[in-house]
Amino acid sequence: MTRYSVDPNRHELIATWGTGEGDLATRITALPADAPSATLLRLAGALTRLSEAAWRTYTHPASAAGSLEPDTEGWRREQERDTFSDVAEAVAAPNLPHGGLLTVSYSPLLESAHQAGRALHALDETELTKAVLAETVTELTAVESAELGNLTGRAQQAVLLSREDASPVQVAAADHLLEQNPFGSLALFSDIDPTAAAVAAAHWLAAAAEVAADASGHDATAVLLEADNIEDLPHQTPTLVLELLDAGHTPHDAVTGLVRHALHIADGLLPDPAGLREQLEDLDGALDDYTEDYTDDEETDPEDTGLRLTPLDPRRPARDLLEDLLAGIHGCWVLHTEYDDLDEEHLGTDDADPDGAGPDDADLHDADLDDADLDDERAAQHRHQSRENFARLVRETAARHRDRLL
């Protein structure tokens, strides 16, 4: 969301927002130097809450709630999104106290607009009101652009948010980036909505797991467990995604389901009471075994046993999931390289050496390389060739299963 601040020295209203690579700021308008600071801060606070409420309609779209029947969650979300057209009027002509009473809107977005309008009414500055009205249009337009998959300008802040749904435009953009580099790139985090990027990454993880499974002989859903024996990996979440895909879920449903679950946890809701009951029963059994096995061990403590309500970080579930899925693709390569039978005779060969003989003795002396240097160079070449070979196989596999993303 966009945060609004008062610069008390320059007497200016400032807006700042994140971009995935850092924060940007812009001057909205000058503020009256003699205005009460409390009123100015109320205005800034109301605009911040307005932005938060507007962006919540993006992260929690009605389309992700299922039913749109009256009085359902989807219906309430749809009603809130429809208030965009009423925001300007609420800012320009807010509800004011009358006879000791004040009408308060049920809509968080509209009520924030009324609060901003009341602060402007108290300040009674025509130019300030015009500037704030223009700013609310800019902010709401940014949300609308993000909904369409256009994350340019102010809408770029969407890359920091976790959304319960994924724009097909953004999924396609993420898929294109992963086709260029199946291991992931910084652009996935700076230019793409993280939920959409995770949807595409789930598709590429499935392709990577298939390649690793073909090479190793392990089941595709178990390759990351095997890779974790070679290199420490955050394997639980990407393995869960692979299991969901193996069970018939699409990448979209698997990813948005996990993100939605984590967002509900962050909102203080318990979306799956039955699943929690099973976790508690499993935990009770584990604690019984723990007590029997470690009662006399002073270095262990049953209180260390925790229960995670979601496999994702509820403060940033989509980005956390994207990071884990890319780590899973790396893990598939780690396992694959254990079985990848590369042609060692061609390691060190370049295009200028068609016979594949590698550098001659004179070249080695000129480069002043000792045996350790040669070993390091060959290891680096082997790693590069292995990654390129793995990426080629993953691209071919992902292309064969392109329908997963449709």
Side-chain angles (χ1 to χ4, degrees):
M1 67 179 185
T2 300
R3 297 188 62 85
Y4 295 86
S5 307
V6 173
D7 186 330
N9 296 319
R10 297 187 178 185
H11 304 290
E12 294 177 341
L13 180 64
I14 306 296
T16 62
W17 62 92
T19 67
E21 294 181 308
D23 290 356
L24 293 175
T26 189
R27 173 187 180 275
I28 302 302
T29 185
L31 295 170
D34 58 349
S37 60
T39 305
L40 296 177
L41 291 174
R42 282 201 299 273
L43 172 61
L47 290 174
T48 297
R49 290 189 293 275
L50 187 153
S51 173
E52 182 179 14
W55 280 104
R56 186 176 174 84
T57 68
Y58 171 78
T59 59
H60 296 68
S63 60
S67 175
L68 298 179
E69 293 297 318
D71 296 326
T72 63
E73 176 63 19
W75 177 83
R76 284 187 287 271
R77 292 183 182 186
E78 190 175 55
Q79 295 291 305
E80 181 74 347
R81 178 59 180 81
D82 288 343
T83 62
F84 272 39
S85 59
D86 301 324
V87 167
E89 181 180 353
V91 172
N95 294 331
L96 299 174
H98 180 72
L101 299 176
L102 177 65
T103 300
V104 176
S105 173
Y106 283 110
S107 162
L109 178 58
L110 274 187
E111 181 54 30
S112 298
H114 283 292
Q115 291 171 3
R118 285 193 285 272
L120 290 169
H121 178 80
L123 293 168
D124 193 22
E125 292 280 345
T126 301
E127 293 304 315
L128 175 58
T129 299
K130 289 181 179 178
V132 170
L133 282 169
E135 170 59 22
T136 59
V137 171
T138 298
E139 189 68 8
L140 296 180
T141 299
V143 176
E144 293 169 343
S145 295
E147 290 173 336
L148 297 174
N150 179 9
L151 303 191
T152 58
R154 185 78 67 92
Q156 192 178 6
Q157 61 188 291
V159 303
L160 297 175
L161 303 175
S162 295
R163 194 177 189 225
E164 290 186 6
D165 204 352
S167 161
V169 174
Q170 286 283 295
V171 172
D175 180 56
H176 178 68
L177 289 173
L178 285 163
E179 185 176 17
Q180 293 176 323
N181 181 4
F183 292 96
S185 62
L186 291 178
L188 282 172
F189 295 91
S190 63
D191 300 346
I192 306 294
D193 175 290
T195 302
V199 170
H203 164 62
W204 284 85
L205 172 62
E210 183 176 333
V211 171
D214 289 343
S216 66
H218 295 289
D219 188 82
T221 58
V223 293
L224 294 179
L225 296 175
E226 295 297 327
D228 185 58
N229 293 326
I230 303 170
E231 180 180 314
D232 188 26
L233 295 166
H235 59 83
Q236 291 91 345
T237 300
T239 295
L240 173 59
V241 171
L242 288 173
E243 291 172 346
L244 290 172
L245 297 180
D246 186 62
H249 294 268
T250 65
H252 177 277
D253 291 345
V255 166
T256 57
L258 288 171
V259 171
R260 186 179 306 119
H261 184 276
L263 287 174
H264 288 178
I265 295 295
D267 287 339
L269 302 175
L270 186 60
D272 186 15
L276 178 61
R277 185 179 300 110
E278 292 180 5
Q279 284 184 277
L280 290 172
E281 292 173 353
D282 292 341
L283 181 60
D284 285 340
L287 284 175
D288 289 342
D289 295 340
Y290 190 99
T291 303
E292 291 178 6
D293 295 340
Y294 297 107
T295 300
D296 298 329
D297 191 340
E298 296 180 356
E299 296 183 0
T300 58
D301 186 353
E303 293 184 1
D304 291 338
T305 303
L307 179 63
R308 296 198 63 179
L309 298 179
T310 168
L312 306 178
D313 183 346
R315 297 165 298 183
R316 50 190 293 279
R319 287 176 72 87
D320 185 38
L321 178 56
L322 175 59
E323 291 166 359
D324 284 353
L325 294 176
L326 294 179
I329 293 174
H330 169 79
C332 291
W333 168 70
V334 168
L335 182 62
H336 184 266
T337 196
E338 294 290 304
Y339 298 88
D340 192 9
D341 186 17
L342 296 175
D343 186 358
E344 295 289 340
E345 292 183 0
H346 289 83
L347 288 178
T349 302
D350 57 26
D351 292 338
D353 187 16
D355 295 330
D360 59 24
D361 291 341
D363 294 331
L364 295 181
H365 287 304
D366 289 341
D368 194 23
L369 297 174
D370 57 22
D371 290 342
D373 293 328
L374 283 173
D375 289 342
D376 290 344
E377 182 180 351
R378 289 184 179 278
Q381 291 173 346
H382 185 283
R383 179 183 178 87
H384 174 74
Q385 187 174 343
S386 175
R387 284 174 66 88
E388 289 298 310
N389 183 50
F390 179 76
R392 176 182 59 80
L393 294 172
V394 171
R395 289 188 184 98
E396 294 172 356
T397 305
R400 288 199 305 270
H401 300 291
R402 184 69 61 189
D403 58 316
R404 272 195 298 240
L405 283 178
L406 300 180

